[in-house]
Amino acid sequence: MTRALSTPPAVSAEVISRSEQPVLSVAQGLELRPWEPADAPVFLGAYQDEEIRRWHTRRPQSGAQVREWFAGYRQDWQSATGAHWAIARRDGEVLGRISTRSWNFDDGVAGVGYWVLPAARGAGVATCAVIALSAWALYEIGFYRLHLDHSIRNHASCRVATKSGYLLEGTMRSAAVHDDGRHDMHLHARIRNT
């Protein structure tokens, strides 16, 4: 259903639809690049990590399923509904995942999510990736507001959000289900400076 708006869309979907998903430069010699089929074993292996499993209940079960997810990621870009990247060193080594989804072009709002592999934790990798993705989404694509949420028990994610310029806006009570039950979630957001 098409909505009749009294205002023009805050972001033009054409910005996405007429371009290939970019590779984004990140501090520390890193980059955000689209997922490649060869990344499937690393991606699948990431979901064997206890911390990633603790915060993510949607988990791939096989390499074939990972490749299906990657195909879905490409479709998200093509349909202008989201974008997914590997956080990688320039030599190709994958250190984590970052995405932006729930794109609302009318209001100029999008969500952000991320995880990093154990070897990349504590080195600022997630923070650098979130900063780079945010700059792209806010200043190149033109979103006005980016938001992310995490369990109130996920202190590392809270630090990444805060260091990346996402202000804590509040707590969403019982907003997500994890393996150990319902969790309250912190809501963070970053607004484009105009």
Side-chain angles (χ1 to χ4, degrees):
M1 179 172 80
T2 304
R3 294 185 340 172
L5 297 175
S6 63
T7 59
V11 178
S12 170
E14 291 178 12
V15 171
I16 299 297
S17 64
R18 62 179 183 228
S19 66
E20 294 293 317
Q21 183 175 345
V23 173
L24 305 176
S25 291
V26 179
Q28 298 186 8
L30 304 175
E31 65 184 13
L32 307 184
R33 63 164 173 79
W35 289 97
E36 301 168 357
D39 298 326
V42 173
F43 190 95
L44 181 62
Y47 286 89
Q48 304 313 305
D49 174 66
E50 183 178 321
E51 283 300 299
I52 291 174
R53 293 178 68 81
R54 183 176 184 193
W55 308 121
H56 297 84
T57 57
R58 184 170 181 254
R59 305 174 189 136
Q61 302 301 311
S62 67
Q65 189 174 34
V66 169
R67 288 185 292 278
E68 288 175 17
W69 284 23
F70 289 177
Y73 294 168
R74 288 187 297 278
Q75 181 57 42
D76 281 354
W77 179 265
Q78 292 165 353
S79 63
T81 57
H84 310 259
W85 287 271
I87 305 168
R89 296 191 196 283
R90 294 215 163 82
D91 66 6
E93 179 189 3
V94 173
L95 301 178
R97 172 184 185 271
I98 193 164
S99 65
T100 174
R101 300 187 73 182
S102 305
W103 288 356
N104 178 331
F105 292 113
D106 291 340
D107 294 329
V109 176
V112 173
Y114 50 85
W115 53 250
V116 294
L117 294 170
R121 293 185 190 139
V125 169
T127 300
C128 290
V130 173
I131 289 169
L133 172 65
S134 301
W136 173 82
L138 294 169
Y139 299 105
E140 290 188 42
I141 301 305
F143 285 106
Y144 183 76
R145 173 188 165 87
L146 301 177
H147 59 85
L148 63 85
D149 60 28
H150 61 80
S151 169
I152 63 169
R153 301 177 201 169
N154 188 341
H155 305 293
S157 194
C158 197
R159 284 190 300 274
V160 168
T162 302
K163 288 179 181 179
S164 302
Y166 285 72
L167 299 179
L168 177 61
E169 294 188 334
T171 301
M172 302 180 295
R173 295 178 302 134
S174 294
V177 178
H178 289 66
D179 286 350
D180 61 353
R182 296 206 72 86
H183 281 230
D184 291 351
M185 303 291 282
H186 276 165
L187 175 65
H188 294 258
R190 183 171 166 184
I191 306 298
R192 183 178 71 221
N193 296 327
T194 52

PDB file of all heavy atoms in Angstrom, residues 31 53 84 120 146 162 174 182:
ATOM      1  N   GLU A  31      38.019  -2.342   6.239  1.00  0.00           N
ATOM      2  CA  GLU A  31      37.007  -1.951   5.273  1.00  0.00           C
ATOM      3  C   GLU A  31      35.720  -2.719   5.547  1.00  0.00           C
ATOM      4  O   GLU A  31      35.740  -3.777   6.167  1.00  0.00           O
ATOM      5  CB  GLU A  31      37.482  -2.200   3.838  1.00  0.00           C
ATOM      6  CG  GLU A  31      37.691  -3.661   3.498  1.00  0.00           C
ATOM      7  CD  GLU A  31      38.257  -3.871   2.094  1.00  0.00           C
ATOM      8  OE1 GLU A  31      38.714  -2.902   1.472  1.00  0.00           O
ATOM      9  OE2 GLU A  31      38.223  -5.035   1.632  1.00  0.00           O
ATOM     10  N   ARG A  53      26.436 -16.208  20.125  1.00  0.00           N
ATOM     11  CA  ARG A  53      25.225 -17.013  20.346  1.00  0.00           C
ATOM     12  C   ARG A  53      24.375 -16.418  21.472  1.00  0.00           C
ATOM     13  O   ARG A  53      23.144 -16.474  21.414  1.00  0.00           O
ATOM     14  CB  ARG A  53      25.594 -18.454  20.680  1.00  0.00           C
ATOM     15  CG  ARG A  53      26.248 -19.189  19.524  1.00  0.00           C
ATOM     16  CD  ARG A  53      26.652 -20.601  19.920  1.00  0.00           C
ATOM     17  NE  ARG A  53      25.499 -21.443  20.172  1.00  0.00           N
ATOM     18  CZ  ARG A  53      24.775 -22.042  19.225  1.00  0.00           C
ATOM     19  NH1 ARG A  53      25.090 -21.884  17.964  1.00  0.00           N
ATOM     20  NH2 ARG A  53      23.753 -22.800  19.546  1.00  0.00           N
ATOM     21  N   HIS A  84      24.343  -5.139   4.166  1.00  0.00           N
ATOM     22  CA  HIS A  84      25.107  -6.001   5.067  1.00  0.00           C
ATOM     23  C   HIS A  84      26.542  -6.060   4.574  1.00  0.00           C
ATOM     24  O   HIS A  84      26.782  -6.243   3.380  1.00  0.00           O
ATOM     25  CB  HIS A  84      24.517  -7.414   5.064  1.00  0.00           C
ATOM     26  CG  HIS A  84      23.041  -7.435   5.283  1.00  0.00           C
ATOM     27  ND1 HIS A  84      22.474  -7.736   6.492  1.00  0.00           N
ATOM     28  CD2 HIS A  84      22.003  -7.181   4.437  1.00  0.00           C
ATOM     29  CE1 HIS A  84      21.148  -7.663   6.383  1.00  0.00           C
ATOM     30  NE2 HIS A  84      20.847  -7.335   5.152  1.00  0.00           N
ATOM     31  N   ALA A 120      38.881  -9.969  17.476  1.00  0.00           N
ATOM     32  CA  ALA A 120      38.775  -8.534  17.174  1.00  0.00           C
ATOM     33  C   ALA A 120      38.205  -7.724  18.335  1.00  0.00           C
ATOM     34  O   ALA A 120      38.140  -6.506  18.254  1.00  0.00           O
ATOM     35  CB  ALA A 120      37.911  -8.331  15.933  1.00  0.00           C
ATOM     36  N   LEU A 146      19.724   7.235  12.913  1.00  0.00           N
ATOM     37  CA  LEU A 146      20.094   5.828  12.980  1.00  0.00           C
ATOM     38  C   LEU A 146      19.880   5.353  14.405  1.00  0.00           C
ATOM     39  O   LEU A 146      20.175   6.079  15.356  1.00  0.00           O
ATOM     40  CB  LEU A 146      21.558   5.622  12.587  1.00  0.00           C
ATOM     41  CG  LEU A 146      21.968   6.085  11.197  1.00  0.00           C
ATOM     42  CD1 LEU A 146      23.470   5.878  11.003  1.00  0.00           C
ATOM     43  CD2 LEU A 146      21.180   5.360  10.120  1.00  0.00           C
ATOM     44  N   THR A 162      27.947   3.886  22.503  1.00  0.00           N
ATOM     45  CA  THR A 162      28.279   5.190  23.092  1.00  0.00           C
ATOM     46  C   THR A 162      29.522   5.797  22.442  1.00  0.00           C
ATOM     47  O   THR A 162      29.533   6.973  22.078  1.00  0.00           O
ATOM     48  CB  THR A 162      28.465   5.041  24.611  1.00  0.00           C
ATOM     49  OG1 THR A 162      27.264   4.500  25.172  1.00  0.00           O
ATOM     50  CG2 THR A 162      28.769   6.364  25.259  1.00  0.00           C
ATOM     51  N   SER A 174      11.314  -5.693  28.164  1.00  0.00           N
ATOM     52  CA  SER A 174      10.988  -7.009  27.600  1.00  0.00           C
ATOM     53  C   SER A 174      10.845  -6.971  26.082  1.00  0.00           C
ATOM     54  O   SER A 174       9.956  -7.589  25.509  1.00  0.00           O
ATOM     55  CB  SER A 174       9.691  -7.544  28.232  1.00  0.00           C
ATOM     56  OG  SER A 174       9.874  -7.803  29.592  1.00  0.00           O
ATOM     57  N   ARG A 182      13.277 -13.342  28.123  1.00  0.00           N
ATOM     58  CA  ARG A 182      13.069 -11.973  27.638  1.00  0.00           C
ATOM     59  C   ARG A 182      14.118 -11.045  28.235  1.00  0.00           C
ATOM     60  O   ARG A 182      14.522 -11.195  29.384  1.00  0.00           O
ATOM     61  CB  ARG A 182      11.665 -11.501  28.005  1.00  0.00           C
ATOM     62  CG  ARG A 182      10.573 -12.334  27.317  1.00  0.00           C
ATOM     63  CD  ARG A 182       9.304 -11.556  27.136  1.00  0.00           C
ATOM     64  NE  ARG A 182       9.432 -10.557  26.111  1.00  0.00           N
ATOM     65  CZ  ARG A 182       9.240 -10.773  24.802  1.00  0.00           C
ATOM     66  NH1 ARG A 182       8.928 -11.959  24.370  1.00  0.00           N
ATOM     67  NH2 ARG A 182       9.368  -9.792  23.942  1.00  0.00           N
TER      68      ARG A 182
END
